[in-house]
Amino acid sequence: MAVLGIESTAHTASVGVVSDAAEILGLASDMYRPTKGGIHPREAANHHVEQLPGLVERAMEAAHLRPAEVEAIAFSQGPGLGPCLRAGATVARMLSLAWDRPLVPVNHCVAHVEIARILSGLDDPLLLYASGGNTQVIAYARGRYRVLGETLDIGIGNFLDKLWIELGGTFPGGPAIEAEAKNGRQLLPLPYSVHGMDVAFSGILTAALALDARGAARADLAYSVEVTTYAMLTEITERALAHRRRDTVVLGGGVACNERLRTMVRTMVEARGGTMFAPPRSLCVDNGAMIAWTGQLALRAGVTVPVEASAIEPRQRTDQVLAPWRSA
Ligand code: ATP
Ligand code: FE2
């Protein structure tokens, strides 16, 4: 039977309906786009409250299902922005009560791993999760997913968005920087900020803005920012692979849409004799299908939560939750 999943951690409100054979039966999404500056959590949450009921309808219509044919309601419990998470959780609780179906809490980061894992057919890959708010290298070990390395300050996507907005552009910055970078020729000096398995971006933001103030060509700046930061991500991914003696990597998060990042990670993994898989872009970015699919896995492992105990967890860590379907 199908599980309906609701995603609302940050910019994207999305509803997915996924079968127990991992078939995506319906998926409907709508992204909040700030008119200027970065995300306003309250405005984004209002967007999600307005959009989610219609998205549920569209996803169910696409799936050609009646509520009685849905086995459970899964929702993103965290991590994410409180008001945004609350909007999704409220809709999930309403459906759970109205349709009399169990509620399944899902960790958003784990959902990125699980959708990439099922699509790739890889059994135990490492995930490089590069999105707006998150930058982590994640792997499974002894009952849970663990964060092997991560950003020490802001997420890579937020870094790209902030930089682009400071340069006079609008959200989202990642795709605009990617387009600019295609014409870049010269590698400008930027700090390369890897600390063991971790990375940091705020110093690079300051340095890039200083280069801009000194008249650096926009295309060269975009190119240098991409090459420097994606090399950092590739390096920590390789270090994690070497430590774990593994050779498979999957990508997730909006920044994993980036062609240069995909190529750099693929080149590194293939040089080690391994395999790299990146989901289609619609499933790299935040989406309800990954929540529904992880909900399927969790439901089969008996993970459900009563409505009264279904509080959101804005700071939920990847390794705070169990992944009993992996050990089963
Ligand atoms: P979360 O951090 O909770 O996953 P999010 O709102 O950042 O949420 P995503 O959809 O995963 O959601 O990612 C959006 C980010 O991806 C934005 O920062 C955007 O600039 C970046 N992005 C999208 N496409 C590209 C691209 N082609 N190259 C680089 N960055 C990109
Ligand atoms: Fe995400």
Side-chain angles (χ1 to χ4, degrees), residues 9-11 108 129 131-134 157 161 174-175 178 230 254-255 258 285-286:
T9 51
H11 295 85
H108 176 88
Y129 173 29
S131 70
N134 294 285
D161 297 336
E178 177 168 41
Y230 298 162
V255 183
N258 186 277
V285 298
D286 290 348

Side-chain angles (χ1 to χ4, degrees), residues 103-284:
L103 203 52
V104 182
V106 168
N107 176 282
H108 176 88
C109 308
V110 169
H112 277 288
V113 189
E114 291 301 351
I115 193 76
R117 206 161 68 88
I118 186 74
L119 291 171
S120 66
L122 299 170
D123 178 47
D124 188 24
L126 202 83
L127 172 78
L128 171 60
Y129 173 29
S131 70
N134 294 285
T135 304
Q136 301 182 332
V137 178
I138 298 173
Y140 175 81
R142 300 183 311 280
R144 305 160 191 260
Y145 283 100
R146 319 259 172 184
V147 179
L148 305 183
E150 65 188 315
T151 176
L152 298 173
D153 46 34
I154 53 176
I156 172 88
N158 285 355
F159 158 78
L160 295 168
D161 297 336
K162 263 190 190 173
L163 173 63
W164 191 243
I165 289 165
E166 293 272 344
L167 293 176
T170 53
F171 175 88
I177 290 176
E178 177 168 41
E180 274 289 342
K182 288 201 166 67
N183 300 316
R185 294 288 169 268
Q186 199 192 344
L187 189 62
L188 307 171
L190 287 170
Y192 184 89
S193 192
V194 169
H195 308 271
M197 305 283 269
D198 300 325
V199 288
F201 298 107
S202 52
I204 306 177
L205 180 62
T206 310
L209 291 173
L211 285 174
D212 175 64
R214 275 187 260 127
R218 189 57 59 86
D220 289 340
L221 191 58
Y223 170 72
S224 307
V225 160
E226 282 206 337
V227 169
T228 304
T229 55
Y230 298 162
M232 288 160 47
L233 298 185
T234 306
E235 178 180 334
I236 62 166
T237 307
E238 179 164 28
R239 185 164 297 121
L241 275 182
H243 277 290
R244 280 184 33 100
R245 299 175 202 282
R246 289 288 193 283
D247 61 359
T248 54
V249 174
V250 293
L251 299 185
V255 183
C257 293
N258 186 277
E259 241 4 278
R260 189 185 311 275
L261 179 63
R262 288 177 180 225
T263 305
M264 287 171 76
V265 176
R266 171 166 286 121
T267 305
M268 178 275 288
V269 175
E270 289 179 355
R272 301 178 61 89
T275 308
M276 191 283 270
F277 174 84
R281 287 173 176 71
S282 59
L283 298 174
C284 269

Side-chain angles (χ1 to χ4, degrees), residues 7-36:
E7 160 59 31
S8 71
T9 51
H11 295 85
T12 303
S14 178
V15 178
V17 180
V18 174
S19 77
D20 49 14
E23 198 186 337
I24 299 172
L25 305 172
L27 178 60
S29 306
D30 197 279
M31 193 180 177
Y32 154 80
R33 288 172 188 272
T35 41
K36 66 177 177 51

